[in-house]
Each structure stands twice: as C-alpha cells, then as structure tokens.
C-alpha cells in the first residue's frame, strides 16, 4: 500500500517501522518522533488509523503500541507547530528495528476537524477548513459565537448589539449555516432571526471547527453555506485528570465571567463537568448609537446579559471504543437592542435549554467494517421575550437527532463509509410577535463518502440524498394595511381573513468531488466541486408578522404582493435552493512561511432572500406609555415609530464569488507574523447586489513570546461597503486595533496565566454593514479586559 505525501510533507528517515515479539498475534509497534534538527518531540500524538488506537511520545520522543497484529498499517503523527504525517508501517515477526519519524515545521497550525467521518484538516483537505483552538480560541472568545469567530478568514459576524451575533460564512448566514455541537444540531432558533442568540458557549469549548462552503454531505442540506461545529469533551474519551478555569472582567460593559471544565476518571469510567457564569451591563460606544440622535448617550440600550450553564458527562471506555452520555443546562437572559419603546420598560429574552447527548464509537476486528460512530441528541429549547415583566412572545424548539456512520476497511485502496441521519424538530411560537406559525420538520438522509490516494493525488467523492417534510397546520394570511411611508392612511390593524394548512415535501440531493495534488513536500493544490440542494426553512416560507428584533415586518415566500398592493398566496412553485460551488485551493504546508489561498465561485439557483418592498406596516405592538400627557406632535412621532418596513421573502438566481488568503511567517522562534484577507461579492444573476453583504477585510496579527511573556497585536481593516441593494445605505470602513499581554506563572501542577487585553484601542466608530441594527448599535468602544486562566 503506497501513501502519497499529501499536504503533510513528512519524511521517514529509517526503513519501515518494525518491532516483533515471538507471537505473531501480539507484536509491538514502536518508534521515535523528532524534528528536522534531530531533537526529540515530546507529547506528539501517534495514531494507528485502522485501529483507532492513540498514544503520545515521551520526553525522548518515543512511542509504543503493544498487542498489534501482524499486517500493514497507516500511522497518523502530529504535534503542535508541525505538519501532519500519514506514513506506512508494517508489523511482522522477523524485524525488530524501530523507525525514526521526522516532522517538518509548519507556520500554519494544522488541526484535525472533529465530527466528520473523513479526515479533514486545514492543510490536507479538498474542502476549505478553519479551526479555532488552544490559546487562539481563548484569546478571541467573546460572549457570542459570531463575534468569537470573526477573525477567521471567510467568516464575519452579523453583530446584533453584542448579545446575539451569529457567524456569516462567505456572505451566507441564517438557515444556510448550520451550527452544531459535537456534530449534532445546536437546535435553538438562532437561524430564524439574528436577534435570537446561539445556545452554545465558546468559553467551555475545546475547539471550534468551521467548514467553509457546502458541507451538506456531512451535516445535511441546512449546511449549504457552511458549518460551525463547537467541540467539547462533555462525553470524555480519557480518564486522565485535566482541566482549566478562567476568571475575567471587562470595562466597556462591566462584564464578569467565570468558567471551568474538568475531566477525570477511575479505571474504565470517565467523568466530565463544566460550567460558566457571565454578567454584563449595556455597553458603551464611541458615539451616540443612533445616527438620528447624535446628542444621545453613548450606550446601546438593552445590550446587557446574564447567562449561566453547566454540563455533566460520563462514559465507559473499552479496548474497541467508548460509549457515553452528557446532559447540559443552558440559561441566558439578554436585552434585545432596538426593541425599546421608550421609558424605563426593560425588554429582554429569557432563554432556557436542556440538551442530552449520547456519543459512542466501536472499532471492529472483522475483515469488512472498521468502525461505527454514533451520535444521538435530544434538545428542549425555549425562550420568551419579556417586556415590563410580562411575556409577549414565546419560542420553543424540541429536536431529536441521530447520526450513525459505518466506516469500512480499505477496499481496493478506497477508504470511507456510509452515513445514516435522522432529525425531527417541532418549532412553536406564540404571542403578539410570533411572526412564524408553529411547524414540524422531519428529515431522513443517507450519504456515501469515499477517498483514495492515487500516487500524489487524493480523490474524495460523496453523495447524499434526503427526504424532508415540513408541516404547518395553522398558517394565517392576514389583511395587512401596508403603505408608503408618506401616505395618508388610517391605522386599521390586521384582521385574519384566512387560515390554512401547509404540507411540503422535498428531496434534496447533494454531490461532491474533490482532488488534492501534492506538488512537492511543501506545496499542494486542490479543487472541490459540489452541487447542493436545500429545502427552504419554515421562516422563509411561512412568516407573516412583525419581527421587532430586526425592526422589520417579515412576509414569507408563500405569499406575494399583488398589483393592487395586497398580499396574497403566491402562485409560484416552491423550489429547492440549489448551489453549484467550485473551490480552488493552493497551499504551502512546510517551512517558516506557510499560506493557504482559496478562491470560490458559488451559483445559487432559487436563492431565498429578504427584499425590502418600500412599504410600511404597523408593528401591532401594544405600548403602555402610562398617563403622561403627550402633545399632538409627540403622539405623531410615537405612531411613526410603530411602523416597520415590510420585507418579503422571494427567490432568484444569485452568484457569490470571492477569495480567502492566510499567510503565516515564523520569523524567529519568538516572533510570528500572520496576515489574512477575504472578499465576497454577492449579486443577483440578473443584476443588483444582495443585501447586507460582508465587506472586504484585511488583517494582521503579531505574536511575540519571551520566556513566560506573550504579547499579541491584531489590526483589522474593514473596507467601505458601497455595493448595496435597493433601500440599503452605504457603510463606512473602519480599522480595529486589539492587543493583549499574557504572563505565565507555573505553580506546581497548575499552569497559571495572567492577562490584560484591549479591544478597539483607538475607540473608533464601527458600524457593521451585515447588521440589521447598524444605525442604532455600532460596535463597542475602547474595552479593557483583565483575567486569570489556569490549566491543570
């Protein structure tokens, strides 16, 4: 069996790795791992891929596997700061010489992606991947997932007032970007609207994987634009005692944060626990938030939060794998910026979620199956929007999910397997701002994924077929008094004139093919082609009502605007959204300088998007202004503020194309420079830009370490966005400057770090073009954070 040097560029400096004992059925596999200078590498990870057995090197760089049957194996060897190695090893009884493996330096950190059956990493896959982990994750973690990830190439945040920001990948977000936890849907309602927070916490995560571009083969049609997978150790796979904790305070919003996670175990039983608590006030801005009120206070109202959560998990470990279960309780209260109706009335969302996960893996010893991976989850989610102590609207989501992946042993050089996937969700909204009716979704899917090396070429193929049903038994079509802003009209409100049931069935099919060619030990080039189909979500089809969090009146694609200016049932067929995507990748994988360049072109047929109609409608919200005597002019302004712009979901063919560039230069052992840039142009095929498209960015990062001190400096420039759709306004560019300094203090078995960081050090006014609230909620002003972090 011959393996290419695909994207790894690691050389084997001795003959095949062999060490035999007298018994042919119980051999020992051992060796040594060093760097190019011959220095042993401690704590390098060595895995026998076919057996899923993992060990680490000792201080001398040595590793040993006992009780290994005779035969051919592939070793996967990796260490922080070095390129990965996939190398052939043969175990037989007549050779007792261990081999030395030399790892080549890599300026770009190479980290494996979790929760995918195929092996993916930043420098090896045909699929563009980013991973945030370790010190980088801790340094960039924020209160929201979108703000945590926005320094990754190709990823930006929709920034919803610092409380509910979600990630945007290559200009796509919402129902096109799937957010998962350990490979299972996070199952909140963050994809329904940008004011709904993601029910996942970055401060307790081990790493966060981002798959840019369609990842439908692994996760389903909801991942037509990409996947964000939050990885933690809630179902532990080791009984080694380890953990970390963080205590932090910030100035811009008086935030207090405490978080911990710990793993331990006894014999074959492993235990895990984590928890966090965060409390913050409304955040300060460099200028008055509302551009129409330049003399206002420099504080974004309703941007406070209080959240907490804990997770408990346990697992049973055995020679062939593990099985475990975990339960998480997540609670968060956060203000809803833009949802204030005057006075001192507080408006906030009260989020509660209970999540159960069952994870396991079993490695077979027969001649066909290699392993089976299974993930099952149940999530009970609810959040209420509360004003003046009264619940106005309640959203809930109950989800069951099961994924089973059966991987076979290599057959004619092909590695891969089959994936079976089921997901069912029951989404319910009730109240005066329930703009989407209750609905049930059920999905069954089967997928096939295979890969094979042909010399210096790696070929990856996949296909997935789904059956998706969407049922809503009580869809309402109201009579809406929609009008031009300057029109004279009477506030007649809405009267329900029709109620009907919707039963939609879809069969999305996704296909993918990728090739990576290893040009030399240091360079590779890849191309990935995919065709992905997506069924529209319930909110895209069925919405009809005020969405106060985004300050809009939303109407779904099931409806249309007639020539008479009335909203009626659409006569246009509801079609699948289809993305035809090509990715080209060029990478330098070894040496003091490394880079990754991706260029992509994505043509999306029947692209569903919200388009402003130019009409306005009453919010339908009841306001209690007390018994104050309002003048005629003030009363008129109150009425005007109750009007919301009407946005109608429609579909049209769209094209998104752009690039991502990441360059890393390890100038010395102490100094490292990073540079990144990304750009996306999103337009309708027949002309016109798509709304709220991410602007071009250019960023740099400098990291300097000396003994126990580390200093980091980030400078990111966001270009002006003037490529806008109808009714949009341009957004000025801005530059953000962030810096931090960390001092490590070894304390016996605990590695303690004290850090001071600053964000937006120039106190620049920064309004995010992708945000619905850009005119009333700019980014926070100058912020300092002081914290203590410990590892044990």
């Amino acid at each position: 069996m011959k393996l290419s040097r695909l994207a790894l560029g690691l050389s084997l400096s001795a003959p095949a790795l062999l060490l035999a004992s007298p018994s042919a059925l119980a051999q020992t596999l051992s060796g040594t791992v060093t760097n190019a200078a011959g220095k042993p590498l401690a704590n390098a990870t060595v895995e026998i891929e076919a057996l899923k057995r993992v060990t680490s090197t000792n201080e001398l760089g040595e590793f040993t596997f006992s009780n290994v049957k005779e035969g051919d194996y592939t070793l996967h060897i990796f260490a922080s700061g070095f390129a990965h190695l996939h190398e052939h090893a043969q175990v037989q009884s007549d050779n007792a010489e261990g081999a030395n493996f030399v790892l080549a330096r890599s300026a770009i950190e190479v980290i494996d992606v979790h929760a995918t059956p195929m092996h993916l990493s930043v420098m090896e896959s045909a699929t563009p991947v980013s991973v945030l982990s370790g010190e980088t994750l801790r340094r960039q973690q924020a209160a929201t997932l979108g703000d945590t990830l926005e320094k990754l190439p190709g990823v930006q945040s929709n920034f919803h007032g610092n409380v509910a920001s979600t990630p945007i990948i290559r200009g796509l977000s919402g129902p096109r970007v799937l957010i998962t936890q350990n490979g299972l849907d996070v199952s909140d309602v963050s994809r329904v609207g940008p004011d709904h927070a993601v029910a996942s916490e970055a401060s307790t995560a081990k790493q966060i994987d981002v798959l840019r571009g369609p990842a439908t083969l692994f996760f389903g049609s909801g991942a037509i634009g990409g996947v964000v997978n939050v990885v933690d150790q809630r179902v532990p796979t080791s009984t080694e005692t380890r953990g970390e904790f963080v205590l932090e305070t910030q100035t811009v919003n008086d935030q207090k944060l405490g978080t911990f996670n710990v793993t331990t175990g006894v014999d074959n039983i492993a235990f895990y626990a984590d928890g966090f608590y965060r409390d913050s006030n409304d955040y300060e801005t460099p200028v008055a938030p509302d551009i129409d009120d330049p003399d206002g206070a420099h504080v974004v109202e309703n941007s406070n939060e209080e959240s907490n959560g804990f997770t408990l998990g346990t697992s049973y470990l055995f020679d062939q794998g593990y099985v475990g279960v975990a339960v998480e309780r997540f609670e968060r209260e956060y203000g809803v910026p833009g949802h204030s109706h005057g006075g001192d009335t507080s408006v906030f969302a009260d989020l509660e979620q209970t999540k159960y996960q069952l994870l396991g893996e079993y490695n077979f010893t027969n001649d066909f199956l290699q392993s089976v991976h299974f993930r099952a989850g149940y999530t009970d989610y609810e959040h209420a929007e509360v004003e003046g102590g009264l619940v106005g609207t309640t959203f809930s989501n109950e989800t069951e999910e099961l994924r089973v992946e059966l991987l076979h042993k290599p057959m004619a050089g092909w590695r891969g397997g089959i994936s079976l996937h089921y997901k069912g969700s029951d989404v319910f909204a009730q109240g005066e701002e329930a703009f989407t009716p209750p609905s049930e979704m059920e999905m069954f899917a089967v997928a096939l994924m295979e890969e094979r090396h042909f010399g210096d070429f790696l070929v990856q193929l996949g296909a997935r077929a789904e059956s998706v049903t969407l049922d809503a038994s009580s869809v309402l079509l109201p009579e809406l008094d929609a009008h031009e802003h300057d029109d004279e009209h009477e506030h007649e409100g809405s009267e329900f004139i029709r109620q009907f049931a919707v039963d939609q069935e879809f069969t999305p099919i996704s296909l993918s093919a990728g090739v990576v060619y290893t040009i030399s030990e240091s360079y590779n080039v890849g191309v990935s082609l995919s065709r992905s189909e997506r069924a529209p979500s319930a909110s895209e089809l069925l919405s009809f009502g005020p969405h106060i969090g985004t300050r809009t009146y939303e109407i779904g694609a099931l409806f249309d605007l007639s020539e008479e200016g009335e909203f009626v049932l659409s006569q246009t067929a509801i079609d699948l959204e289809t993305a035809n995507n090509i990715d080209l990748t060029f990478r330098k994988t070894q040496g003091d300088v490394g880079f990754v360049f991706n260029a992509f072109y994505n043509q999306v047929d029947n692209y569903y998007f919200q388009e402003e109609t130019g009409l306005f409608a009453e919010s339908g919200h009841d306001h209690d202004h007390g018994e104050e005597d309002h003048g005629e002019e003030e009363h008129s302004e109150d009425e005007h503020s109750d009007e919301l712009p009407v946005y109608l979901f429609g579909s049209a063919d769209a094209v998104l194309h752009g690039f991502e560039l990441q360059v890393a230069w390890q100038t010395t052992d102490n100094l490292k420079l990073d540079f990144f840039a990304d750009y996306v142009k999103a337009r309708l095929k027949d002309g016109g830009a798509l709304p709220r498209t991410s602007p071009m960015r250019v960023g740099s990062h400098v990291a300097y370490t000396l003994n126990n001190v580390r200093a980091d400096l980030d400078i990111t420039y966001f270009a002006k966005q003037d490529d806008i759709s109808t009714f949009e306004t341009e957004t000025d560019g801005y530059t953000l400057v962030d810096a931090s300094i960390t001092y490590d203090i070894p304390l016996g078995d605990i590695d303690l770090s004290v850090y001071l960081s600053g964000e937006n050090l120039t106190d620049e006014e920064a309004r995010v073009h992708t945000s619905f609230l850009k005119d009333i909620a700019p980014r926070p002003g100058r912020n300092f954070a002081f914290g203590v972090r410990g590892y044990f």
Side-chain angles (χ1 to χ4, degrees):
M1 174 182 177
K2 181 179 179 182
L3 294 180
S4 76
R5 297 161 298 181
L6 166 66
L8 300 171
L10 294 159
S11 61
L12 179 62
S13 60
L17 176 61
L18 301 167
L19 187 61
S21 68
S23 171
L25 297 178
Q27 309 301 321
T28 298
L29 183 64
S30 65
T32 304
V33 180
T34 67
N35 63 14
K39 181 180 178 180
L41 292 179
N43 297 318
T45 300
V46 183
E47 177 188 15
I48 304 176
E49 292 186 342
L51 303 180
K52 297 295 181 181
R53 293 181 57 181
V54 179
T55 190
S56 298
T57 57
N58 59 22
E59 294 181 356
L60 299 177
E62 300 169 339
F63 67 90
T64 299
F65 290 98
S66 59
N67 298 321
V68 181
K69 289 184 178 182
E70 292 185 8
D72 293 335
Y73 298 95
T74 300
L75 296 182
H76 179 200
I77 306 174
F78 55 95
S80 178
F82 294 87
H84 286 209
L85 166 64
H86 292 263
E87 193 59 68
H88 178 69
Q90 186 180 47
V91 177
Q92 58 188 44
S93 60
D94 59 353
N95 192 315
E97 181 181 358
N100 179 53
F101 293 89
V102 180
L103 303 191
R105 193 171 185 171
S106 175
I108 296 179
E109 189 75 8
V110 184
I111 305 171
D112 283 340
V113 174
H114 288 252
T116 58
M118 310 295 288
H119 177 247
L120 299 179
S121 78
V122 176
M123 307 297 276
E124 301 172 86
S125 170
T127 303
V129 179
S130 295
V131 178
L132 196 61
S133 68
E135 292 296 323
T136 304
L137 172 59
R138 294 295 169 249
R139 184 167 52 86
Q140 296 182 10
Q141 71 186 31
T144 66
L145 189 61
D147 297 341
T148 297
L149 299 174
E150 70 167 339
K151 289 182 180 178
L152 291 176
V155 184
Q156 295 199 34
S157 169
N158 69 357
F159 190 76
H160 200 83
N162 220 37
V163 294
S165 308
T166 54
I168 299 172
I169 301 178
R170 293 180 168 181
L172 299 176
S173 61
R176 297 176 183 86
V177 173
L178 181 64
I179 299 174
T180 64
Q181 196 163 43
N182 300 315
L184 295 172
D185 196 333
V186 74
S187 300
D188 51 28
V189 293
S190 60
R191 307 174 89 195
V192 174
D195 57 317
H196 300 155
V198 177
S200 185
E201 178 60 30
S203 68
T204 56
K206 174 186 175 183
Q207 72 179 58
I208 303 177
D209 305 329
V210 179
L211 277 66
R212 303 191 300 274
T216 54
L217 294 177
F218 304 114
F219 296 96
S221 57
I224 198 170
V227 167
V228 174
N229 183 42
V230 180
V231 182
D232 57 33
Q233 296 295 304
R234 64 181 54 198
V235 175
T237 57
S238 170
T239 57
E240 178 186 1
T241 299
R242 62 181 184 273
E244 65 176 303
F245 62 87
V246 176
L247 297 172
E248 181 184 281
T249 182
Q250 295 187 14
T251 60
V252 76
N253 56 359
D254 297 321
Q255 176 178 285
K256 307 295 187 297
L257 171 67
T259 178
F260 80 94
N261 65 77
V262 60
T263 302
T264 188
V266 178
D267 296 329
N268 290 355
I269 307 297
F271 301 97
Y272 173 85
D274 72 35
F276 78 96
Y277 175 81
R278 179 186 290 106
D279 180 72
S280 65
N281 297 326
D282 295 344
Y283 71 86
E284 300 174 354
T285 64
V287 297
D290 194 336
I291 61 175
D292 295 326
D293 184 18
D295 298 323
H298 292 196
V299 173
V300 174
E301 295 183 0
N302 285 335
S303 60
N304 58 309
E305 75 150 303
E306 181 178 358
S307 56
N308 65 85
F310 69 88
T311 306
L312 298 175
T314 185
S315 59
Y316 176 70
L317 313 179
F318 48 93
D319 290 342
Q320 287 78 34
Y322 71 94
V323 61
V325 64
V327 58
E328 175 195 23
R329 179 66 176 177
F330 184 95
E331 297 181 358
R332 191 171 190 224
E333 288 187 3
Y334 62 96
V336 183
H339 201 324
S340 178
H341 305 294
D344 296 326
T345 303
S346 61
V347 183
F348 65 92
D350 185 3
L351 184 160
E352 297 180 354
Q353 177 175 274
T354 302
K355 180 186 293 289
Y356 303 90
Q357 288 192 346
L358 173 67
L359 308 180
E361 176 181 321
Y362 187 87
N363 297 292
F364 294 93
T365 58
N366 61 40
D367 294 332
F368 179 71
L369 283 178
Q370 175 176 300
S371 62
V372 57
H373 307 254
F374 58 89
R375 299 179 177 90
Y378 171 78
T379 303
D380 185 4
Y381 171 95
E382 179 177 296
H383 94 245
E385 294 185 356
V386 183
E387 179 175 358
L390 300 177
V391 175
T393 307
T394 299
F395 296 86
S396 66
N397 183 4
E398 287 190 40
T399 302
E400 307 93 24
E401 187 173 9
L402 173 66
R403 285 179 59 189
V404 178
E405 292 152 359
L406 298 167
L407 304 184
H408 62 77
K409 291 188 176 179
M411 296 188 301
W414 289 94
R415 300 170 58 90
I418 190 171
S419 173
L420 305 175
H421 193 184
Y422 166 79
K423 181 163 58 177
S425 63
D426 186 353
V427 180
F428 179 81
Q430 183 176 26
E432 59 187 10
E433 294 172 10
F435 56 94
T436 301
S439 62
E440 296 181 3
M441 186 280 296
E442 196 168 47
M443 182 270 293
F444 296 90
V446 58
L448 179 67
M449 292 151 284
E450 297 287 338
E451 68 176 17
R452 181 181 174 182
H453 289 87
F454 294 90
D456 289 333
F457 291 87
L458 170 66
V459 177
Q460 296 177 327
L461 304 174
R464 180 184 177 101
E466 295 183 14
S467 173
V468 180
T469 59
L470 177 64
D471 297 328
S473 60
S474 182
V475 179
L476 302 173
L477 174 59
E479 182 180 358
L480 182 65
D481 178 26
H483 51 270
E484 300 284 346
H485 213 309
D486 296 330
D487 282 356
E488 294 290 335
H489 64 282
E490 297 180 2
H491 301 298
E492 299 177 356
S494 298
E495 178 184 355
F496 295 120
I497 61 173
R498 186 175 177 186
Q499 177 175 324
F500 56 96
V502 172
D503 183 1
Q504 294 280 339
E505 295 185 8
F506 304 95
T507 309
I509 304 293
S510 298
L511 303 170
S512 178
V515 177
V516 180
Y517 171 58
T518 302
I519 302 172
S520 67
E521 289 186 346
S522 298
Y523 295 91
N524 68 55
V525 62
V527 59
S528 176
L529 301 171
S530 64
R531 177 180 174 85
S532 306
E533 294 181 330
R534 180 182 75 91
S537 66
S539 60
E540 291 173 308
L541 285 182
L542 310 177
S543 296
F544 206 122
H547 191 174
I548 305 301
T550 59
R551 299 162 66 92
T552 61
Y553 198 103
E554 294 189 3
I555 299 178
L558 199 64
F559 310 97
D560 205 352
L561 184 62
S562 69
E563 294 180 358
E564 292 76 21
E566 297 180 352
F567 286 96
V568 297
L569 282 176
S570 174
Q571 300 303 310
T572 304
I574 302 300
D575 292 325
L576 290 169
E577 187 176 274
T578 304
N580 298 282
N581 186 81
I582 180 171
D583 265 283
L584 299 175
T585 303
F586 182 45
R587 291 176 282 223
K588 185 177 185 296
T589 62
Q590 288 189 22
D592 293 332
V593 176
F595 63 77
V596 179
F597 175 75
N598 297 305
F600 66 92
Y601 182 90
N602 192 2
Q603 178 176 313
V604 187
D605 299 333
N606 300 314
Y607 179 89
Y608 288 88
F609 68 103
Q610 285 179 297
E611 189 170 22
E612 197 165 353
T613 62
L615 302 177
F616 290 80
E618 299 301 311
S619 69
H621 189 87
D622 252 349
H623 301 276
D624 182 7
H625 297 288
E627 298 180 359
E628 290 185 48
D629 183 19
H630 295 286
E632 183 176 339
E633 181 179 349
E634 186 176 352
H635 180 70
S636 176
E637 290 178 357
D638 282 343
E639 287 183 347
H640 183 75
S641 67
D642 291 344
E643 292 184 348
L644 300 175
V646 177
Y647 279 76
L648 176 65
F649 275 97
S651 65
D653 295 344
V655 174
L656 299 93
H657 59 88
F659 70 87
E660 299 121 11
L661 173 65
Q662 180 184 5
V663 181
W665 180 22
Q666 189 75 50
T667 59
T668 68
D669 289 340
N670 304 103
L671 181 64
K672 184 179 179 181
L673 307 178
D674 290 278
F675 168 86
F676 82 92
D678 56 25
Y679 169 76
V680 59
K681 183 176 180 62
R683 57 184 173 85
L684 295 175
K685 196 171 182 181
D686 293 335
L690 288 173
R692 292 175 298 283
T693 299
S694 310
M696 181 177 178
R697 293 185 305 171
V698 177
S700 62
H701 172 238
V702 181
Y704 180 76
T705 58
L706 180 63
N707 298 325
N708 293 351
V709 178
R710 175 186 171 109
D712 294 272
L713 174 66
D714 289 278
I715 302 175
T716 308
Y717 169 69
F718 292 74
K720 177 181 180 180
Q721 183 56 285
D722 54 9
D723 189 9
I724 56 177
S725 66
T726 308
F727 301 109
E728 263 195 306
T729 58
E730 297 180 356
T731 305
D732 292 336
Y734 54 89
T735 301
L736 297 180
V737 179
D738 306 330
S740 66
I741 186 168
T742 304
Y743 182 69
D744 297 329
I745 309 172
L747 293 176
D749 293 333
I750 298 178
D751 294 326
L752 196 67
S753 298
V754 180
Y755 62 91
L756 174 67
S757 65
E759 298 176 322
N760 194 8
L761 292 176
T762 60
D763 205 31
E764 182 162 359
E765 178 183 359
R767 297 188 183 271
V768 181
H769 183 76
T770 55
S771 174
F772 275 91
L773 304 181
K774 74 168 186 175
D775 291 337
I776 64 170
R779 290 180 183 268
R782 185 182 295 112
N783 178 38
F784 293 99
F786 175 76
V788 178
R789 182 182 301 118
Y791 301 91
F792 57 89

